[in-house]
Amino acid sequence: MKIIKVKDYKELSNMVSEIIIKEIRKKPNLTIGFATGKSPLGAYKNLIREHKKGKVDFSRIKTFNLDEYYPINADDKKSYRAYMFNNIFNKINIKKDNINLLDGTAKNFKKECEDYEDKIKKNPIDLQIVGIGVNGHIGFNEPGSTIVSRTRLVDLASETIKRNKYLGKALTMGISTILKSKRIILLASGKEKARAVRDFIIGDIDKNIPASFLRKSKNLIVIIDKEAGSLL
Ligand code: PGA
């Protein structure tokens, strides 16, 4: 695990978008695992800006997202599909066919999860971006999730329900799914993440802090700002 400490959210966002752009230049058909939430928003803004300047071409990249609420209506603004299209996909030259999202409207959630695992197996993720929840979750792998977990339907932790204001379940890549990524970048910003960051970096590798399992990855980069790293 490599830990990079930066000053603040702006520096963190710049570093993440620079890594993504560099990797796309090296491999134009890069498969990227994207995340939602507040943490990657600054990096997405940078990617849009650099694309507008003609500095990066997204036409050949493929993407997978970590998770989605379930069930959720197709037109629900809270969906992670809506988040991705509003915050990045509609603003860059990505091909719709290259976007893979868990479908929160799927009737058969088991088949949806199995199909997603198969798609990832066929298109291994080169670079996975993840945030960390205040309770140490990654994607919606809440405390109690195991290292062998695959893409599946999960209950949300009460803390997550409160923070996300979503009363329901979710589909999420499993921890084993995420660990198959060739490279993982975990980002954390702000004081509210300090405890989770400390626990996942210096605590035991344990299912109570699902992010700790990422330490098993051979290629994990953790980018944290001063506040998120304040308890280390
Ligand atoms: P945040 O979410 O980026 O909105 O803090 C992270 C997460 O819960 O995974």
Side-chain angles (χ1 to χ4, degrees):
M1 161 171 65
K2 182 171 165 193
I3 302 172
I4 303 176
K5 292 184 185 162
V6 296
K7 192 170 91 210
D8 54 16
Y9 184 67
K10 189 169 181 219
E11 270 189 22
L12 177 142
S13 302
N14 290 346
M15 185 163 285
V16 176
S17 54
E18 275 163 24
I19 293 173
I20 294 174
I21 290 171
K22 206 167 116 206
E23 293 301 309
I24 294 175
R25 287 198 183 128
K26 263 198 257 169
K27 183 179 176 186
N29 62 344
L30 194 76
T31 299
I32 307 178
F34 277 128
T36 48
K38 280 182 284 182
S39 305
L41 273 179
Y44 295 163
K45 287 206 176 100
N46 292 344
L47 292 178
I48 294 164
R49 186 193 62 225
E50 293 307 298
H51 170 65
K52 290 208 167 113
K53 284 198 237 157
K55 296 268 167 69
V56 55
D57 173 20
F58 295 97
S59 65
R60 293 179 60 202
I61 67 158
K62 288 193 183 117
T63 68
F64 286 92
N65 261 76
L66 283 168
D67 47 14
E68 176 62 285
Y69 293 121
Y70 187 86
I72 195 145
N73 289 328
D75 58 357
D76 194 322
K77 290 193 186 74
K78 266 187 110 62
S79 76
Y80 286 170
R81 165 179 291 272
Y83 171 106
M84 289 307 295
F85 277 89
N86 293 335
N87 289 306
I88 181 160
F89 291 157
N90 282 337
K91 299 169 182 173
I92 59 174
N93 66 332
I94 190 168
K95 295 218 172 81
K96 295 245 156 44
D97 287 349
N98 289 343
I99 296 171
N100 296 287
L101 294 156
L102 280 158
D103 181 1
T105 72
K107 292 237 157 55
N108 185 342
F109 65 84
K110 276 207 171 124
K111 184 173 182 308
E112 177 63 18
C113 293
E114 277 161 26
D115 289 351
Y116 207 65
E117 282 282 331
D118 284 347
K119 272 192 253 174
I120 294 173
K121 210 177 265 168
K122 284 185 193 127
N123 298 282
I125 295 170
D126 294 300
L127 179 65
Q128 174 69 56
I129 310 295
V130 294
I132 180 170
V134 291
N135 64 352
H137 76 195
I138 43 164
F140 279 131
N141 292 283
E142 301 284 17
S145 301
T146 68
I147 191 164
V148 295
S149 56
R150 292 159 51 93
T151 304
R152 67 203 188 286
L153 178 67
V154 292
D155 288 319
L156 298 176
S158 52
E159 229 167 341
T160 306
I161 292 174
K162 235 188 274 159
R163 278 178 63 87
N164 295 24
K165 300 186 185 69
Y166 179 78
L167 239 185
K169 300 186 181 225
L171 304 176
T172 184
M173 272 187 206
I175 292 166
S176 75
T177 324
I178 297 170
L179 275 174
K180 284 188 194 110
S181 310
K182 292 178 201 157
R183 189 183 218 190
I184 301 171
I185 298 184
L186 184 147
L187 32 141
S189 166
K191 260 196 210 108
E192 60 174 16
K193 297 292 169 69
R195 191 173 52 95
V197 165
R198 179 198 61 197
D199 291 351
F200 114 82
I201 290 178
I202 58 179
D204 293 337
I205 295 182
D206 183 88
K207 63 179 179 346
N208 289 322
I209 306 289
S212 65
F213 289 124
L214 297 189
R215 282 160 49 194
K216 297 261 183 196
S217 163
K218 287 197 183 71
N219 204 342
L220 170 66
I221 302 174
V222 179
I223 308 176
I224 49 178
D225 66 11
K226 256 205 183 115
E227 287 187 357
S230 59
L231 295 178
L232 287 174

